Amino acid sequence: MATVKIAKASKVTLSKKTYTYNGKVKKPSVIVKDSNGTKLKKGTDYSITYAKGRKKVGKYTVKITLKGEKYSGSKTVTFTIKPKNTKLTSKKGQKKAIVVRWKKQPKQTSGYQIQYATKKNFSNAKIVTVKKNNVTKKTIKKLAAGKKYYVRVRAYKRVRAYKDGKAVTVYTKWSKAKAVKTK
């Protein structure tokens, strides 16, 4: 009797790993390939189980269970739904301080982070966390007088992790940076 080699299922990918919150359920498509690069067939070679919800900001799992005569086992992959991005609306230099304002993102956020630095590439930057999502203004004090600072902001949300239930933080991208000079 001849032995037939079967390529093992080796690569599982999602069509998209990151989404931005819009209130709609997310369902990334799944691609499963064997070690030869051949796509496996959904329903015949594997089944998919999506985590419940997938609408709010958080991290979610997709479980792929291999089946049939050729394949066995399972693999879990994750994707993230991030809050909507925010942007700086104004900045103003004051005596040894800067006042930063940003656009409010009240849905699916816990608060904001402001990053500021004296270098445009944000090396050695400092971060100030605003723990309320209804606040849109922050004064950063104890800065050097007459110095140019670069600032940017992002929103975040604290959520429960998909596996162990521990809290994790999901961040948006940083807004475009703006320069401001202290007095």
Side-chain angles (χ1 to χ4, degrees):
M1 181 175 219
T3 303
V4 177
K5 282 189 173 184
I6 298 172
K8 73 174 189 167
S10 62
K11 187 175 181 184
V12 177
T13 55
L14 297 177
S15 59
K16 200 167 180 182
K17 291 197 76 129
T18 305
Y19 292 90
T20 300
Y21 171 77
N22 67 359
K24 296 180 181 176
V25 173
K26 306 296 181 242
K27 189 175 180 180
S29 58
V30 177
I31 299 168
V32 181
K33 293 184 178 181
D34 67 17
S35 55
N36 292 332
T38 305
K39 278 187 184 180
L40 303 184
K41 292 180 183 170
K42 180 182 170 187
T44 304
D45 298 323
Y46 66 92
S47 63
I48 303 170
T49 306
Y50 289 92
K52 292 181 181 177
R54 304 183 323 275
K55 191 185 241 186
K56 296 180 178 181
V57 170
K59 293 187 178 235
Y60 297 92
T61 59
V62 180
K63 184 177 180 181
I64 293 81
T65 305
L66 299 166
K67 62 182 192 174
E69 295 177 16
K70 298 179 184 178
Y71 306 104
S72 65
S74 65
K75 178 162 177 122
T76 301
V77 289
T78 62
F79 69 94
T80 304
I81 301 175
K82 295 184 174 190
K84 283 185 179 179
N85 292 342
T86 190
K87 65 179 181 177
L88 288 172
T89 55
S90 71
K91 79 283 187 230
K92 183 178 177 185
Q94 293 185 338
K95 188 174 182 180
K96 295 186 178 183
I98 53 176
V99 178
V100 182
R101 292 180 187 263
W102 58 90
K103 186 176 180 181
K104 185 161 95 171
Q105 291 295 349
K107 290 186 178 181
Q108 291 293 302
T109 60
S110 301
Y112 306 92
Q113 285 189 327
I114 303 159
Q115 188 177 48
Y116 64 97
T118 55
K119 295 181 181 174
K120 199 173 189 176
N121 66 0
F122 286 88
S123 61
N124 298 322
K126 294 184 179 175
I127 293 178
V128 175
T129 301
V130 178
K131 294 183 178 182
K132 293 182 180 177
N133 68 352
N134 60 350
V135 174
T136 58
K137 176 184 169 186
K138 179 72 176 170
T139 302
I140 302 169
K141 300 177 181 180
K142 298 182 182 179
L143 302 176
K147 188 94 172 163
K148 184 190 256 186
Y149 286 88
Y150 296 91
V151 296
R152 58 188 181 181
V153 66
R154 69 180 177 184
Y156 72 89
K157 171 100 173 142
R158 295 284 292 163
V159 295
R160 294 271 166 225
Y162 57 88
K163 285 185 180 178
D164 54 16
K166 292 182 181 176
V168 294
T169 305
V170 179
Y171 297 97
T172 65
K173 292 181 182 177
W174 288 107
S175 68
K176 288 185 179 179
K178 292 190 179 183
V180 59
K181 192 171 183 179
T182 57
K183 294 180 182 178

